[in-house]
Amino acid sequence: MINNQWYIVLDSKEVKKEKITAAKRLGKDLLFWRDKSNQIHCIERTCAHRGADLALGKIVNDHVQCPFHGIEYDGSGRGVLIPSIGKNGIVRSNFKVKSYPVVEKGDFVFMWFGEERDLPEIKWLDGIDETFNYSSLTDIWPVHYSRSIENQLDVSHLPFVHYNTIGRGGRTLVNGPIVEYKDGIINVWVNNVLDNGQKPLKPEEVKKEDCIGRLQFIFPNYWQNIINKDLRVVAAFVPIDDSNTIIYLRFYQRFLKVPLIRNLVTKISMPFNKKVLNQDKRVVITQRPIKSELRMNENLYQGDLPIIIYRRVRQELKKSAKEVSE
């Protein structure tokens, strides 16, 4: 994982008011809950007393109550009540579990993973706002999350993996692509064309206005395919652990305004989007090594430039986070 980053970890709808949502994310066993004011909290699941799973407990007065001895923890992970010593008893400071800052944005739950410090503002995807509506699905892939990200930055696989869906047309020649990186965001302009024997254009020879779409990836784990100003596909690639990833996929649209019709359109689009995602999954889970960010025995070419840039920036961010912690 890359430290000192805001990770999307859940869909907002998964966290209910005054109920515990248990989830493994970034290799940590976590629980989430909303308090009475709708604020989400996140703490680790192991009780500081005798190691019971707090996820089996319940929410009492906006606190997590341990199912074993009733010890209560607040949103900062601090123990605030030990029933056996009385409601006026002093709870020692070692009765504490680790907590993580969480913020909602765009109907996702973001969790800060890293050093405790002044937290940066969360970056959001270009152009997506409340004027869009969306439908969503989730899927679990038995891969390191970086594998699933690289797949969505791969512009040359479309006519082969998606030969009967989004890759129709046989545009196998990859001009460019144009790849720009700035402040944690990679943008990729795609210009795939029919191969009539010509050489592919170099990135500097491609014009953005001639491209058929743009991909945008925001570190550490979310992405969109900008099909046009009114149509987007969004994905969050959420690490469960080093070997498994949950993908939150959303289809956004705003070209239809009538609520019932637009909701119907986004919903009926999801089987198609699921088919496209499964086409990717079928191939990605065969890559080796699959459960590691390490890459072995690869030979990359010009069309892989988005992946090359992603890997370079990823390593730079990991190095920078390590230096901060030392």
Side-chain angles (χ1 to χ4, degrees):
M1 314 301 172
I2 308 173
N3 284 346
N4 299 333
Q5 297 283 317
W6 283 110
Y7 283 82
I8 291 178
V9 291
L10 290 169
D11 189 301
S12 289
K13 295 190 289 292
E14 294 179 278
V15 187
K16 309 297 183 183
K17 186 173 287 189
E18 298 186 81
K19 291 185 178 181
I20 290 173
T21 298
K24 188 168 189 176
R25 296 291 186 267
L26 290 85
K28 306 293 183 181
D29 289 317
L30 306 171
L31 59 83
F32 302 80
W33 78 98
R34 292 183 189 272
D35 62 26
K36 293 174 183 176
S37 65
N38 212 38
Q39 176 68 41
I40 296 181
H41 305 280
C42 173
I43 63 176
E44 292 190 359
R45 290 169 51 175
T46 303
C47 181
H49 177 214
R50 293 185 60 200
D53 185 356
L54 296 174
L56 299 178
K58 59 184 178 180
I59 304 301
V60 177
N61 298 322
D62 284 344
H63 304 146
V64 174
Q65 184 187 75
C66 178
F68 203 177
H69 299 94
I71 298 171
E72 294 181 19
Y73 297 89
D74 65 13
S76 72
R78 181 175 63 92
V80 294
L81 174 66
I82 300 177
S84 66
I85 65 173
K87 61 183 179 181
N88 293 319
I90 296 175
V91 181
R92 299 195 308 270
S93 60
N94 58 328
F95 279 84
K96 183 175 176 59
V97 296
K98 185 170 177 56
S99 64
Y100 296 87
V102 284
V103 174
E104 288 185 90
K105 191 176 185 68
D107 294 336
F108 282 116
V109 179
F110 286 77
M111 184 183 88
W112 177 256
F113 188 74
E115 303 292 322
E116 295 184 10
R117 57 184 174 118
D118 290 337
L119 302 182
E121 187 174 337
I122 294 173
K123 300 180 178 69
W124 187 234
L125 299 161
D126 282 355
I128 294 183
D129 56 26
E130 66 280 356
T131 63
F132 283 86
N133 79 303
Y134 67 86
S135 288
S136 59
L137 61 85
T138 61
D139 195 26
I140 295 177
W141 289 18
V143 303
H144 190 274
Y145 80 106
S146 65
R147 281 289 193 194
S148 57
I149 290 170
E150 289 180 2
N151 178 71
Q152 300 305 326
L153 294 174
D154 185 328
V155 300
S156 60
H157 79 284
L158 294 173
F160 304 100
V161 175
H162 306 295
Y163 64 94
N164 62 350
T165 54
I166 60 174
R168 289 175 178 169
R171 293 186 291 271
T172 61
L173 194 74
V174 177
N175 287 326
I178 303 172
V179 184
E180 294 181 358
Y181 171 75
K182 184 178 181 181
D183 297 332
I185 301 175
I186 295 175
N187 283 290
V188 181
W189 285 264
V190 183
N191 187 286
N192 295 358
V193 297
L194 291 173
D195 185 353
N196 294 312
Q198 75 276 33
K199 290 183 178 180
L201 298 177
K202 296 179 180 179
E204 60 271 20
E205 297 173 325
V206 178
K207 297 179 181 179
K208 292 178 181 178
E209 57 267 27
D210 294 333
C211 294
I212 58 175
R214 174 162 66 101
L215 308 177
Q216 182 182 59
F217 175 76
I218 301 180
F219 278 92
N221 72 326
Y222 47 113
W223 164 99
Q224 70 167 324
N225 180 359
I226 305 173
I227 300 169
N228 59 50
K229 65 182 181 66
D230 297 321
L231 202 61
R232 314 290 176 91
V233 177
V234 169
F237 311 94
V238 181
I240 297 173
D241 51 32
D242 282 341
S243 302
N244 297 280
T245 300
I246 183 167
I247 297 179
Y248 292 90
L249 188 73
R250 292 180 178 178
F251 175 71
Y252 285 80
Q253 74 83 29
R254 65 178 177 187
F255 57 86
L256 294 172
K257 306 297 183 183
V258 180
L260 288 177
I261 296 176
R262 72 179 189 178
N263 291 340
L264 178 62
V265 167
T266 55
K267 286 181 179 179
I268 63 176
S269 72
M270 293 317 290
F272 176 80
N273 289 313
K274 177 69 171 178
K275 180 178 180 179
V276 172
L277 190 64
N278 282 338
Q279 288 178 323
D280 285 318
K281 181 178 182 179
R282 172 178 172 268
V283 176
V284 172
I285 63 175
T286 70
Q287 291 181 282
R288 296 292 180 268
I290 194 61
K291 297 183 177 182
S292 168
E293 63 180 300
L294 297 176
R295 302 293 181 260
M296 299 171 61
N297 302 321
E298 289 187 332
N299 296 288
L300 304 183
Y301 47 74
Q302 178 179 300
D304 294 319
L305 185 57
I307 296 169
I308 294 168
I309 298 298
Y310 166 74
R311 292 181 184 178
R312 187 196 74 198
V313 175
R314 177 179 166 79
Q315 290 305 312
E316 289 174 354
L317 291 173
K318 289 185 70 175
K319 181 179 178 182
S320 175
K322 183 178 180 180
E323 290 172 350
V324 168
S325 65
E326 289 178 343

